[in-house]
Amino acid sequence: MKIDIRESIYNNFKDATTDEIKASIESAIQDKEEITLPGLGVFLEILWTNSDDSSKEYILSTIKKGI
């Protein structure tokens, strides 16, 4: 059985409010469940592909600081 994680995330959140998306992200981070990492990766992919070069540099520097 093949699961398309991207499609699942898009379908599950297409009608979600920003508050609902925020709550989901915060819950995934707080719970520290490995199973939520692919979904967070989809959110990062969405963020990255919809960011300009300046925003991408900010994302990269923020990740680097956190590591």
Side-chain angles (χ1 to χ4, degrees):
M1 179 176 164
K2 183 180 177 188
I3 298 173
D4 187 334
I5 294 172
R6 284 180 185 87
E7 183 179 334
S8 179
I9 294 297
Y10 277 90
N11 287 335
N12 287 339
F13 288 93
K14 67 182 174 189
D15 295 323
T17 65
T18 54
D19 286 339
E20 291 169 329
I21 295 169
K22 179 181 177 182
S24 181
I25 292 169
E26 289 176 343
S27 174
I29 293 168
Q30 181 180 3
D31 294 346
K32 298 183 190 257
E33 294 285 335
E34 296 289 319
I35 197 159
T36 62
L37 292 177
L40 292 174
V42 174
F43 285 150
L44 176 60
E45 179 181 62
I46 292 167
L47 175 63
W48 187 263
T49 59
N50 289 283
S51 295
D52 60 21
D53 288 341
S54 175
S55 296
K56 286 179 181 179
E57 287 300 319
Y58 176 77
I59 294 165
L60 291 170
S61 66
T62 302
I63 291 171
K64 180 65 176 164
K65 285 180 203 173
I67 294 174

